Amino acid sequence: MFDQPNTLPAAPGVGYKPQHYSDILADAGPVRWLEIHAENYMGDGGRPIAQLRFLADRFPISVHGVGLSIGGETPLDPSHLARLKYLCDWLNPASFSEHLAWSTHDSGFLNDLLPLPYTNATLARVCSHIDQVQETLGRRMLLENPSSYLAFAESTYDEPAFLAEVSKRTGCGLLLDVNNIFVSATNLNYDPRAYVDAFPLDQVGEIHLGGHDEDEDDHGAPLLIDSHGREVADPVWTLLDYVLEKSGPRPTLIEWDTDVPDWATLALEAARAEAALDKVPA
Amino acid sequence: MTQTDFTTAIFDPARPVPAGLTDAAGRPAGKRFSVYRNNVAVSLKEALETGFPATARLLGEANFETLAQRYLRARPPQSPLMMLFGEGFADYIAAIPALKSLGYLPDVARLEYAMRQSYHAGDAAPLDPAKLAALPPEALNRARLSFAPAVRLVLSDWPIHAIRQKALEPDAPNPPGTAQPVLITRPNYDPVPHPLAPEQAVLIAALMDGATLSRALTQAPRADLGAVLSLLLAQSALTDIDVETPK
């Protein structure tokens, strides 16, 4: 649909944290590309922008938005969309992605990825917002599956069918967060492999992996929290193998956003992703 | 259920979980909804603490938590840029009667917000000192200075520089009994706070306002212009100097 001037390699990447800047430049290990949160690079200048310019000369960059509120009932914030366009225009990233979620309401920005009912009304709204984003940026975007803690009684689509329909209608690609599948499948009591089987894997331009915390709901059932604050759990690695067998190698990102570890620890996680990618034929 | 219903329940834990939210068996979501309540409350409080670490330490953990939870509900961020969250925090603090005894706190918060905005401000090539040196003395009087986008001036009647330092580093000197307006410069990528004598602050405020050097000096006759210019040049705080054409 749109020209992609460069693309992410089907190799490990990590979510970039400024404290790893020198380590990455000294020895990136298995890490071949970096992902940034768009909103952290929307200032006018200073160190964040200077570091990003320097890194972008050396690594493919994925811009991952966390504030666009694609699923919001309110119109997309035109000034935020303009900032995003400015960033994508000067940086020319290998990928831009956002979430199937909402975060902005008339009263303000809630700084969390909030859930959506999968209905025809949501579908129409999300598709219209994605059309607007892709037209404004002049590039194809990827939409990420959320982690869910609850269900909506009014939903009429399951999540893979909903995302497949969004992709079909808008031409957007998908970002498959394998930890989110595992978290949602545990929390909502379904089979994560069945989710993968139903997912339009040919549209997947990127995979995410992150750590989760364990809790319990009011009835003592497991309630997993998508915290991005620790190593990727073993069953998530197993589920990644299942995905990659079906999809082939894809750009695969380690997300570690809270209690950020030292570079060696993060690089070990990336090495584990590399081993998983190496197991499947290209 | 609308996103307004959802948002209202997120911000008010006393409200029931909105209808139509369930677990896999169709039972009411209960604690599952609290995950979102918690995510919003914790992430916004942490965002505030990132921007206002000294304010948080001065209040102590429990008081800051209470204040942050009140603030994020009364004034939720209006932008997804967390670097801007807390623009009105200082004024909000100033209006709370229970915090009146910490009279310096709003100005410390103002200083912290200014430091953060300086960090993210645009880059600019500094003024070549030779351009200033080449001006004849009589032209200097008519000159106006252009400041780098990262420069900020925070006026205060309190020793906010030392109070902030002491809050962040307990080994720092005790605050003096005098006012410390603060000039923030960004010679490289890290904002640097400089405590000023009040007279210097008046001079710099006038210069930042676009006054000529002589006009600024009439507002701050006892300020040491040479010292102020040396500081501004050494800190790459100036981008240009323009001489007004004589009338």
Side-chain angles (χ1 to χ4, degrees):
Chain A
M1 185 176 184
F2 298 103
D3 281 344
Q4 293 299 119
N6 52 30
T7 53
L8 298 175
V14 294
Y16 171 65
K17 299 293 164 198
Q19 56 264 51
H20 297 144
Y21 181 72
S22 303
D23 293 314
I24 290 172
L25 292 175
D27 180 7
V31 173
R32 299 262 309 280
W33 57 280
L34 301 170
E35 185 159 281
I36 58 155
H37 285 179
E39 286 70 17
N40 292 339
Y41 297 87
M42 289 181 173
D44 291 332
R47 179 178 282 120
I49 304 292
Q51 283 193 345
L52 180 56
R53 281 187 195 281
F54 198 78
L55 290 168
D57 283 341
R58 287 152 183 82
F59 296 91
I61 304 287
S62 162
V63 172
H64 191 51
V66 296
L68 200 51
S69 199
I70 293 263
E73 285 169 0
T74 49
L76 296 181
D77 175 355
S79 53
H80 195 60
L81 198 50
R83 285 191 290 263
L84 204 53
K85 178 173 169 52
Y86 179 77
L87 176 62
C88 286
D89 282 354
W90 75 255
L91 183 61
N92 193 17
S95 175
F96 169 70
S97 53
E98 252 284 358
H99 299 84
L100 179 60
W102 64 281
S103 50
T104 295
H105 174 258
D106 287 335
S107 58
F109 176 71
L110 283 81
N111 203 32
D112 191 28
L113 300 166
L114 299 168
L116 292 163
Y118 298 140
T119 62
N120 283 325
T122 306
L123 182 65
R125 196 170 70 234
V126 165
C127 288
S128 139
H129 286 167
I130 290 176
D131 287 343
Q132 192 187 351
V133 172
Q134 294 190 134
E135 278 162 27
T136 303
L137 300 185
R139 56 173 73 228
R140 184 185 194 219
M141 63 165 282
L142 307 179
L143 187 68
E144 178 176 351
N145 59 303
S147 49
S148 300
Y149 307 116
L150 49 73
F152 285 79
E154 64 186 292
S155 285
T156 52
Y157 293 79
D158 63 27
E159 195 169 281
F162 188 88
L163 282 163
E165 191 60 26
V166 170
S167 173
K168 192 175 126 195
R169 289 193 189 182
T170 64
C172 79
L174 299 171
L175 193 169
L176 186 63
D177 189 315
V178 177
N179 179 61
N180 287 358
I181 301 177
F182 185 78
V183 165
S184 299
T186 304
N187 291 344
L188 298 178
N189 199 24
Y190 59 76
D191 175 7
R193 294 191 175 208
Y195 183 106
V196 174
D197 293 342
F199 205 87
L201 293 175
D202 54 330
Q203 299 302 321
V204 171
E206 181 181 339
I207 287 172
H208 272 186
L209 297 166
H212 59 253
D213 294 338
E214 295 177 10
D215 200 352
E216 284 183 354
D217 76 357
D218 297 316
H219 309 282
L223 181 59
L224 302 185
I225 313 291
D226 179 31
S227 61
H228 295 180
R230 58 174 63 203
E231 283 93 352
V232 178
D234 284 339
V236 174
W237 287 113
T238 307
L239 188 58
L240 173 70
D241 289 339
Y242 185 75
V243 170
L244 292 176
E245 269 173 39
K246 301 184 70 132
S247 69
R250 298 294 157 104
T252 300
L253 183 94
I254 306 293
E255 290 184 297
W256 199 322
D257 296 319
T258 58
D259 295 326
V260 176
D262 62 16
W263 176 250
T265 305
L266 193 57
L268 265 180
E269 290 283 276
R272 201 165 170 185
E274 186 180 43
L277 288 163
D278 284 347
K279 279 191 284 188
V280 291
Chain B
M1 186 203 49
T2 65
Q3 289 175 359
T4 297
D5 302 330
F6 199 99
T7 303
T8 307
I10 283 278
F11 279 134
D12 185 358
R15 281 185 184 255
V17 174
L21 301 177
T22 71
D23 70 2
R27 295 174 295 196
K31 183 178 169 184
R32 293 160 176 272
F33 187 75
S34 308
V35 176
Y36 297 106
R37 273 182 175 143
N38 192 53
N39 283 351
V40 170
V42 170
S43 76
L44 287 177
K45 178 237 163 187
E46 285 179 353
L48 203 59
E49 195 166 359
T50 300
F52 299 90
T55 307
R57 297 232 185 130
L58 289 165
L59 279 165
E61 206 169 304
N63 288 330
F64 183 75
E65 172 72 31
T66 304
L67 179 63
Q69 294 306 328
R70 280 173 62 177
Y71 179 68
L72 68 90
R73 285 166 175 77
R75 307 268 191 281
Q78 295 301 302
S79 161
L81 272 56
M82 284 298 101
M83 64 181 79
L84 301 176
F85 184 39
E87 186 177 8
F89 192 42
D91 290 339
Y92 184 80
I93 293 171
I96 295 179
L99 294 176
K100 279 281 186 277
S101 61
L102 306 178
Y104 50 83
L105 201 60
D107 286 352
V108 172
R110 247 169 231 124
L111 173 57
E112 294 201 283
Y113 190 76
M115 289 286 284
R116 196 172 196 194
Q117 299 320 305
S118 173
Y119 182 76
H120 290 287
D123 307 298
L127 169 67
D128 180 355
K131 187 169 177 184
L132 179 63
L135 286 182
E138 67 276 10
L140 199 56
N141 282 332
R142 291 180 275 113
R144 298 175 201 274
L145 303 174
S146 300
F147 286 78
V151 173
R152 297 286 186 282
L153 182 66
V154 183
L155 301 176
S156 178
D157 294 332
W158 299 89
I160 52 172
H161 174 73
I163 293 173
R164 173 178 170 272
Q165 294 290 99
K166 185 83 183 165
L168 297 177
E169 300 156 35
D171 292 339
N174 284 322
T178 50
Q180 279 182 330
V182 178
L183 174 73
I184 300 169
T185 61
R186 200 184 79 195
N188 295 306
Y189 290 127
D190 293 307
V192 181
H194 308 269
L196 301 173
E199 192 79 354
Q200 288 176 308
V202 172
L203 179 69
I204 293 174
L207 293 171
M208 289 180 76
D209 233 22
T212 60
L213 294 193
S214 63
R215 173 83 45 90
L217 271 172
T218 62
Q219 294 178 29
R222 287 182 295 113
D224 182 344
L225 177 63
V228 165
L229 285 178
S230 298
L231 175 69
L232 296 175
L233 283 171
Q235 291 289 317
S236 301
L238 302 175
T239 56
D240 205 358
I241 181 163
D242 292 306
V243 177
E244 197 177 64
T245 316
K247 296 200 174 84

